[in-house]
Amino acid sequence: MSLTTNSKHSPVGISVIICCYNSSQRIGETLRHLARQQFPEDFRYEVLLVDNDSTDDTAAVARAIWDKEGPAGIPLRIVEELRAGQMYARDKGVKEAAYDSIVFCDDDNWLNPDYVYYAWKTLRENPTVGAAGGSNYPVTDAPAYPDWFPEHADKFALGVPGEESGIVNNRSFILGAGMVTRRKLFLAMYPDEHPTLLAGRNGSKLSTGDDFEYCKRLMIAGYDLYFEKRLSLKHFIPRQRLMPEYLERLLAGINDATPTIELYDLALRAHRRNKKKNRWRMLLLSPFRIIFTKWGLMNRVLIDEKNTLYYLSPIDLGGSHEMKVIKKFFRYAKSVEPGKI
C-alpha cells in the first residue's frame, strides 16, 4: 500500500534498480515479487529498470507486466544505457533514481515481501553503513542441482553471511544481488576522474567483480559493510545456468576479475595497517623495513611493506594501471569519508 506522490531524492523511500540485458524471459517473476512488497502508508518506492542495450523486448514485457500487476501509485520507470556493462547500467540507474536509498535487484532476484522496506530501514538505522545485504537462496526450474553446485554456489551470488545482523567488514564484500546502498555515496565512489576498473556483466560475457570493487572503495573511504538478517531473496537459476559450460564461463569471468580485486585487498590491508599511524614516519621507515625484510632481519611480510611505501608515497613509483588507479582513489577517499558527503 502506498501513496501516489513521489518527491525527488526523498529520504523516506527507496529506488529499486534492475539492470537488464535481454531479460524478457526472467523479468516477469522479479517484477511480481516487487509488486507484492509490504510497507507502511508513509513509505515510498519506485522500480527503475535500466535497459542495458538489450536486443529483445525486455522493456515492452516489463511495462505490460507492471501495468497489469503493479501496485497503484508505485511507478515503473524504464531508462536506457547503451554502454554494455552492469556497472554502467547501475551508474545510469543511480543517477536517474528518485530516492537517496538504493536497492540493486538483479533481473532474476525474487525479493521477500518486506525486503524493500527493511532495506531502507537498515540504512536509516546505520549511518556509517556504505552497503548492506542479506541472505540469498537458490531456486531453479531444473529437476535437481548438479553434484558440483554446493562447491560453487557462492559464485552464483548465493549465501548467508551470518546468523545475526551486524557489520561484516571482515568478509570485505556484499553481493551485488540485492545490495542496498546510498545514492550520493555510490556517485561519490565513481566520479569521472575515478572510473571503475571492473564494469561487470557485459552482454553475454560473464565479467564480474564490479560489486566487490564498490565494496573495497567503500571500505577504503571508511564505510562499513552490513549484514541484515531481515533481508532475504531467492536467486532464480534456470537449468541452462546449471550446465558445465555455463560454470566454465562464470569461473573464467571471476578469474579475469580476481587480480584486480586482489590488488584492492592488498591496498586495503596497507590502509588498515597504517591509518592510525603517522604517515610521514611510516614513509621514512618503509625503505629500511623492505631491505631488512629481504635480508631476513625483520619478521615482516614483504608485500605489505612494499605496499605501505607505494600507497603512502606522494610521488609516482610506477606500478600497473590498476595500482595507479587505486592509489589515486586512496588520496581522493579522504574527501568522501563518513560525515563529508
Side-chain angles (χ1 to χ4, degrees):
M1 187 176 284
S2 171
L3 300 179
T4 58
T5 56
N6 186 7
S7 58
K8 187 69 172 176
H9 307 316
S10 166
V12 187
I14 198 163
S15 294
V16 181
I17 297 174
I18 311 175
C19 300
C20 294
Y21 171 75
N22 291 350
S23 304
S24 61
Q25 299 300 310
R26 299 182 296 275
I27 196 64
E29 199 59 34
T30 298
L31 289 175
R32 292 184 185 98
H33 277 75
L34 284 170
R36 294 195 288 266
Q37 292 297 302
Q38 300 172 3
F39 48 91
E41 288 282 349
D42 60 347
F43 183 73
R44 313 282 190 277
Y45 77 100
E46 68 166 349
V47 179
L48 184 57
L49 188 149
V50 183
D51 190 347
N52 192 198
D53 203 24
S54 295
T55 58
D56 70 354
D57 57 349
T58 293
V61 169
R63 174 59 63 198
I65 291 171
W66 198 257
D67 286 348
K68 181 179 179 181
E69 303 185 41
I74 301 298
L76 167 70
R77 293 195 289 132
I78 300 175
V79 298
E80 284 188 326
E81 173 53 65
L82 299 181
R83 294 175 299 170
Q86 188 175 50
M87 196 61 180
Y88 298 131
R90 284 177 174 164
D91 181 69
K92 177 71 170 184
V94 170
K95 288 176 178 176
E96 294 286 338
Y99 296 102
D100 292 322
S101 300
I102 300 293
V103 174
F104 289 122
C105 176
D106 289 351
D107 62 3
D108 51 11
N109 291 170
W110 302 350
L111 305 188
N112 273 17
D114 54 6
Y115 199 104
V116 169
Y117 176 67
Y118 280 125
W120 171 81
K121 195 171 178 63
T122 296
L123 294 180
R124 186 177 179 85
E125 293 174 349
N126 301 279
T128 65
V129 165
S135 302
N136 295 5
Y137 300 99
V139 61
T140 184
D141 58 357
Y145 293 99
D147 293 340
W148 52 258
F149 186 75
E151 178 184 355
H152 297 290
D154 60 320
K155 312 299 190 302
F156 288 79
L158 301 169
V160 181
E163 294 183 2
E164 297 297 329
S165 300
I167 293 172
V168 288
N169 291 349
N170 60 317
R171 191 168 185 253
S172 79
F173 68 92
I174 293 292
L175 293 169
M179 179 188 284
V180 183
T181 190
R182 307 173 195 275
R183 180 181 184 276
K184 291 179 181 178
L185 191 52
F186 185 92
L187 296 177
M189 293 298 110
Y190 295 102
D192 292 340
E193 62 271 26
H194 298 283
T196 180
L197 288 171
L198 298 169
R201 299 290 171 90
N202 182 347
S204 60
K205 186 178 179 181
L206 299 181
S207 305
T208 188
D210 52 303
D211 48 354
F212 284 28
E213 180 185 24
Y214 179 56
C215 291
K216 308 301 181 185
R217 289 192 174 195
L218 287 172
M219 297 179 76
I220 288 172
Y223 293 89
D224 293 320
L225 308 181
Y226 195 85
F227 166 66
E228 173 52 65
K229 68 179 183 179
R230 295 176 295 186
L231 300 179
S232 179
L233 65 81
K234 293 184 177 66
H235 187 177
F236 175 65
I237 305 171
R239 63 182 69 199
Q240 307 95 285
R241 295 187 179 183
L242 294 175
M243 297 295 150
E245 296 81 4
Y246 184 88
L247 176 64
E248 184 177 346
R249 291 171 53 220
L250 181 61
L251 293 177
I254 292 170
N255 288 337
D256 286 345
T258 295
T260 299
I261 296 302
E262 288 179 344
L263 286 176
Y264 270 107
D265 284 335
L266 288 171
L268 187 56
R269 194 160 78 197
H271 173 66
R272 287 169 169 167
R273 291 175 68 242
N274 298 299
K275 65 180 180 180
K276 294 183 179 180
K277 300 176 182 178
N278 183 283
R279 174 184 176 182
W280 296 108
R281 180 174 182 273
M282 294 305 300
L283 188 57
L284 289 172
L285 289 174
S286 288
F288 298 102
R289 288 183 171 180
I290 291 171
I291 294 171
F292 293 156
T293 301
K294 284 182 176 179
W295 289 350
L297 300 177
M298 296 186 77
N299 186 24
R300 293 182 176 274
V301 179
L302 184 59
I303 189 64
D304 286 340
E305 299 306 322
K306 288 183 175 180
N307 276 320
T308 293
L309 176 61
Y310 183 83
Y311 288 108
L312 290 184
S313 176
I315 63 175
D316 184 1
L317 297 178
S320 66
H321 167 70
E322 289 80 6
M323 291 176 68
K324 290 178 180 179
V325 169
I326 294 170
K327 181 174 181 176
K328 186 178 178 183
F329 182 82
F330 255 84
R331 297 175 179 174
Y332 162 76
K334 292 184 180 296
S335 67
V336 292
E337 61 190 13
K340 292 188 177 180
I341 62 170

